[in-house]
Amino acid sequence: MASSEATISQIYHVVLPLLLRAGQILTARQKELVGLNAKARHEKGQTIEEEIKSFLSNTLIQLFPKHSVYNPAKPVTGEAAIWQWIVTPLDGGRYYFRGLPLFTVSLALKHEGEVVLGLI
C-alpha cells in the first residue's frame, strides 16, 4: 500500500492490528522475566524490546516500502524522509521489567516532518 495512494484512515486501519499484535507479544513474553535477578531481567527485557522493534519496523517497511523508520543513528533523506515512522516498542519498561501490566507500544507517522498519526 503506497502512502500516496492511502489515506491516513486507511493507514490507521492497516497498522492498528500490527500494534495490537506487538502488545500481545509483549504481554505473553513478560512471563519470561519472572524469577530472574534484576540484571538478567533487564537484559532479557531489552532483548524482547529489540525483537518487538524489529518486528514492527520490518513489517512497516514491508507494508509501506516508500516509508522509513526513524533511527537517530541513520538519518534518511529524500523520498524516504517524506513518510517516517517513529517506533517506541516498549514505553513503561520499568513496569514491564517488574511484571506489572503498565506499559504500551507506541507508533507515530510523520509526513514531511509533521506528525499525522499516533497510536498507543
Side-chain angles (χ1 to χ4, degrees):
M1 176 181 295
S3 56
S4 61
E5 300 168 7
T7 66
I8 297 301
S9 178
Q10 290 168 327
I11 293 171
Y12 167 83
H13 288 291
V14 168
V15 173
L16 181 60
L18 174 65
L19 185 71
L20 293 172
R21 181 65 186 132
Q24 291 168 341
I25 294 168
L26 274 175
T27 300
R29 302 227 20 222
Q30 190 177 32
K31 64 185 164 215
E32 296 175 24
L33 305 176
V34 175
L36 299 176
N37 66 42
K39 183 179 181 203
R41 188 173 55 239
H42 186 72
E43 289 173 358
K44 180 67 173 178
Q46 286 185 318
T47 299
I48 294 169
E49 184 177 6
E50 281 301 315
E51 290 171 7
I52 295 297
K53 184 172 187 163
S54 179
F55 163 70
L56 289 169
S57 298
N58 292 338
T59 305
L60 287 167
I61 295 303
Q62 288 176 354
L63 291 169
F64 306 100
K66 292 184 179 181
H67 292 196
S68 64
V69 175
Y70 174 73
N71 180 346
K74 295 181 183 179
V76 295
T77 58
E79 187 176 352
I82 294 173
W83 291 95
Q84 190 171 53
W85 289 97
I86 301 167
V87 176
T88 304
L90 178 58
D91 192 6
R94 165 182 272 166
Y95 302 110
Y96 184 80
F97 299 146
R98 292 182 177 155
L100 300 172
L102 303 171
F103 56 90
T104 64
V105 179
S106 304
L107 291 175
L109 177 61
K110 290 170 75 175
H111 180 254
E112 296 180 346
E114 180 182 344
V115 176
V116 294
L117 179 65
L119 298 104
I120 297 176

